[in-house]
Amino acid sequence: MARYAKPSSVEEALHLLKQDSWRILAGGTDFYPSLGSRPLHENILDINGLAELRGTSETGTHFVIGARTSWTEVIRHPLPPAFDAFKLAAREVGSIQIQNAGTVAGNLCNASPAADGVPPLLVLDAEVELRSAEGARLVPLGKFILGNRRTVRRPDEIVTAMHVPKRSASGRSAFFKLGARRYLVISIAMAAARVDLNGDGKIKQAAIAVGACSAAAQRLSGLERMLEGLPASSLADAVGRYEFAELSPIDDVRGTAEYRREAAGEIVRRVLAMAAEEGASREIAA
Ligand SMILES: Cc1cc2nc3c(=O)[nH]c(=O)nc-3n(C[C@H](O)[C@H](O)[C@H](O)COP(=O)(O)OP(=O)(O)OC[C@H]3O[C@@H](n4cnc5c(N)ncnc54)[C@H](O)[C@@H]3O)c2cc1C
């Protein structure tokens, strides 16, 4: 018979994960829809009693986002302007009810190509903390997600936090989501950019990621290198010359591959302009 457990400490959760096979339940906003009309036969490990996995904190070198931090908490917690893309994405996840229940780690572990949380965390060089009874490991987010619904998480591991190095939390960032309508919509394509300018207005460093245009969201490292040293005013031309070889969009009900590729170019141009020219913070302030 299937078991249900709601541990009150991470240690207890890890002990259970070592003993048996479980499906982890956080906010349930991906978990339940994925069941469809199938009855539940697996053991359920409900992590909603793990208070220690909730909220955002700082060490000397990193920002640490607890696995169970909800999108609403991301929006409300004060963070530097480099996190603006992450906050803008949080505001675009479903509706307010979904943002209250859904968690950051749930979004990453579900590993949908259209997960809005992934590009903003990729441009912050986030690492995923995984814990098992054997110990802990940190995996760069770009290596954590292997493809559509596939991650490197082992069955005995739980994601406990996301770590953002403070050295990557510089500059300003922005996020843009393209959907068939403005709210409560799955992305056709989305992009996040973080731009660090020199005192002379030229690009010191740019980090750019695109989602929903490949099996897992991708950093555009070729474009990032092309932009280094350019004046912020010439970003649009550079994006126009870029071939977006990292992307492999598919045709589906939301859009054709050709449309997605063209849209990716346009939304990358927009997020770069938002991050470089004015920053997204004004929109966040409300
Ligand atoms: C109406 C609706 C609209 C939505 N709109 C959007 C949207 O616009 N953009 C978007 O990106 N997503 C959207 N989603 C998807 C979902 O809300 C998010 O992905 C959310 O962040 C998932 O978090 P959760 O806590 O609910 O995860 P859950 O559903 O509880 O879990 C999701 C998966 O992650 C695993 N998991 C969860 N936490 C952990 C952990 N700590 N360690 C290991 N495994 C774990 C679970 O086992 C499960 O496989 C929407 C969902 C709904 C129902």
Side-chain angles (χ1 to χ4, degrees):
M1 205 168 81
R3 297 166 68 192
Y4 170 84
K6 189 173 180 185
S8 52
S9 72
V10 171
E11 273 60 39
E12 192 188 340
L14 298 180
H15 181 69
L16 289 164
L17 282 168
K18 189 179 175 176
Q19 287 179 336
D20 210 339
S21 155
W22 299 86
R23 278 197 69 187
I24 293 174
L25 172 69
T29 61
D30 276 317
F31 180 98
Y32 289 114
S34 74
L35 290 176
S37 53
R38 274 189 304 121
L40 252 176
H41 290 304
E42 298 110 317
N43 297 328
I44 304 300
L45 187 70
D46 181 345
I47 61 169
N48 287 292
L50 305 181
E52 59 203 287
L53 299 190
R54 190 141 206 173
T56 301
S57 60
E58 259 181 76
T59 67
T61 55
H62 287 78
F63 292 95
V64 182
I65 302 155
R68 285 189 53 238
T69 305
S70 70
W71 295 111
T72 300
E73 287 163 334
V74 168
I75 294 163
R76 291 188 181 157
H77 191 85
L79 286 163
F83 282 84
D84 286 355
F86 188 45
K87 290 188 170 226
L88 286 168
R91 285 187 170 189
E92 303 251 4
V93 175
S95 57
I96 288 177
Q97 293 87 341
I98 297 292
Q99 291 158 20
N100 287 340
T103 64
V104 179
N107 192 249
L108 307 187
C109 292
N110 189 56
S112 158
D116 287 321
V118 179
L121 285 171
L122 281 176
V123 301
L124 287 165
D125 300 324
E127 293 180 310
V128 178
E129 180 188 283
L130 293 137
R131 280 180 63 187
S132 71
E134 268 64 60
R137 60 177 176 141
L138 279 178
V139 180
L141 177 56
K143 297 204 163 117
F144 174 75
I145 300 176
L146 295 173
N148 187 1
R149 316 280 170 185
R150 291 190 304 123
T151 72
V152 298
R153 185 180 78 82
R154 296 193 314 258
D156 66 332
E157 287 178 314
I158 182 169
V159 169
T160 40
M162 282 61 63
H163 294 244
V164 172
K166 285 191 170 168
R167 65 181 146 68
S168 301
S170 61
R172 288 183 175 282
S173 71
F175 175 82
F176 190 92
K177 170 170 171 173
L178 175 71
R181 56 174 184 264
R182 187 64 195 86
Y183 292 106
L184 198 54
V185 68
I186 298 176
S187 294
I188 296 170
M190 82 290 236
R194 181 174 59 84
V195 173
D196 213 353
L197 296 175
N198 284 315
D200 59 3
K202 290 189 174 157
I203 308 285
K204 186 169 156 195
Q205 198 211 359
I208 308 152
V210 171
C213 288
S214 42
Q218 295 291 318
R219 276 279 289 264
L220 305 182
S221 45
L223 181 58
E224 292 172 6
R225 282 193 298 275
M226 248 172 86
L227 298 182
E228 268 172 41
L230 291 184
S233 54
S234 64
L235 292 177
D237 290 346
V239 174
R241 291 195 304 277
Y242 194 65
E243 288 186 357
F244 293 89
E246 294 91 340
L247 305 182
S248 47
I250 55 160
D251 290 317
D252 70 5
V253 287
R254 284 187 284 278
T256 63
E258 195 187 345
Y259 175 70
R260 280 200 161 92
R261 188 174 287 280
E262 203 177 319
E266 175 58 24
I267 62 176
V268 164
R269 195 188 57 70
R270 288 192 199 182
V271 283
L272 279 167
M274 283 161 74
E277 286 163 22
E278 53 177 329
S281 347
R282 269 188 238 157
E283 286 188 45
I284 297 285

